[in-house]
């Protein structure tokens, strides 16, 4: 529902399903990892001929942590020029990766359990991924739905602002939850484009 608005603003818009999600392959058994997903994004960028092109990252939930890993990699490679991505901005919604209050997954389905291992990865690599957000000079933004059960209000927002005071935040209407791009596409798109137009 936000696709048309994005394509009107940007020269090119790319969306992908991560391995294990949507219409992508779901290999079993498989150890799903944020590192693998970030490498897949880099592979896609290379495949599309977009190496060293300036890119705005817009991520949701699981993708927030993938975006954080991409930020980490770009920070490591800034001096050497080896980074595939020149990240221009980063906007999270439906969570903000390792800054969130997430517990251990309880799941009997082996496939879902293997996908949900990213929650444990967030805990294990919190310093790496939150550190990337804290260290980057890339403009950061959070679009937040106050009814998001994954990131409870107001605790999550308070923690986010404390950890990342340099990030800007858009808080949507009180009835918006975990999928603001579906629940309020106009409000979401306005919040995102206002962020993009601010720098």
């Amino acid at each position: 529902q936000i696709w048309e608005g994005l394509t009107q603003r940007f020269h090119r818009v790319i969306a992908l399903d991560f391995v294990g999600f949507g219409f992508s392959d779901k290999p079993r058994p498989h150890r799903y990892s944020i590192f693998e997903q970030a490498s897949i994004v880099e592979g896609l960028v290379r495949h599309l001929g977009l190496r060293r092109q300036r890119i705005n990252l817009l991520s949701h939930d699981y993708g927030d942590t993938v975006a954080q890993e991409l930020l980490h990699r770009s920070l490591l490679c800034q001096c050497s020029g080896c980074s595939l991505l020149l990240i221009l901005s980063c906007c999270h919604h439906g969570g903000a990766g390792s800054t969130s209050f997430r517990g251990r997954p309880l799941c009997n389905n082996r496939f879902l359990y293997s996908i949900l291992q990213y929650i444990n990865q967030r805990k294990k690599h919190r310093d790496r991924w939150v550190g990337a957000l804290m260290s980057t000079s890339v403009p950061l933004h959070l679009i937040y739905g106050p009814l998001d059960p994954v990131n409870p209000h107001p605790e999550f927002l308070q923690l986010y602002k404390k950890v990342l005071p340099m990030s800007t935040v858009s808080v949507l209407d009180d009835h918006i939850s975990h999928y603001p791009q579906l629940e309020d596409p106009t409000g979401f798109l306005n919040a995102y484009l206002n962020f993009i137009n601010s720098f």
Side-chain angles (χ1 to χ4, degrees):
Q1 296 182 52
I2 63 170
W3 190 260
E4 185 177 348
L6 292 175
T7 56
Q8 288 174 0
R9 172 60 175 81
F10 297 101
H11 171 69
R12 189 170 189 179
V13 180
I14 300 163
L16 71 148
D17 287 328
F18 292 116
V19 170
F21 291 81
F23 295 105
S24 288
D25 291 345
K26 297 165 184 62
R28 301 177 197 188
H30 188 77
R31 289 183 60 94
Y32 293 90
S33 81
I34 296 299
F35 300 103
E36 175 191 38
Q37 305 285 23
S39 294
I40 289 170
V41 172
E42 290 179 332
L44 177 63
V45 166
R46 192 182 300 110
H47 174 75
L48 295 175
L50 298 176
R51 183 184 172 98
R52 307 293 295 159
Q53 297 294 310
R54 299 187 333 160
I55 294 174
N56 295 289
L57 294 177
L58 175 59
S59 62
H60 177 257
D61 193 81
Y62 183 95
D64 292 350
T65 311
V66 177
Q68 287 172 256
E69 173 60 19
L70 292 168
L71 278 172
H72 175 80
R73 293 179 185 190
S74 71
L75 285 169
L76 287 179
C77 291
Q78 250 174 6
C79 296
S80 64
C82 67
S83 180
L84 282 172
L85 300 179
L86 294 176
I87 300 172
L88 190 59
S89 72
C90 184
C91 178
H92 296 98
H93 67 286
S98 302
T99 60
S100 62
F101 300 96
R102 298 197 180 193
R104 184 173 180 82
L106 300 173
C107 184
N108 292 325
N109 181 302
R110 286 186 183 179
F111 174 67
L112 286 178
Y113 183 78
S114 63
I115 287 281
L116 291 175
Q117 284 305 301
Y118 78 94
I119 296 172
N120 291 332
Q121 293 170 37
R122 281 178 170 176
K123 287 181 180 179
K124 182 177 180 181
H125 302 288
R126 184 183 190 280
D127 290 345
R128 176 187 181 103
W129 292 329
V130 175
L133 291 173
M134 295 172 71
S135 302
T136 188
S137 59
V138 166
L140 300 174
H141 191 68
L142 171 71
I143 301 175
Y144 181 68
L147 277 187
D148 189 343
V150 177
N151 299 296
H153 187 269
E155 295 87 359
F156 171 76
L157 206 52
Q158 291 167 350
L159 175 61
Y160 183 88
K161 289 178 176 180
K162 180 180 178 182
V163 174
L164 300 171
M166 69 296 225
S167 175
T168 53
V169 176
S170 295
V171 180
L172 301 180
D173 291 342
D174 289 345
H175 67 280
I176 304 303
S177 182
H178 189 64
Y179 296 96
Q181 73 277 24
L182 300 176
E183 299 167 54
D184 182 10
T186 301
F188 178 90
L189 192 60
N190 287 339
Y192 182 63
L193 295 181
N194 285 340
F195 162 61
I196 290 295
N197 292 332
S198 69
F199 59 90

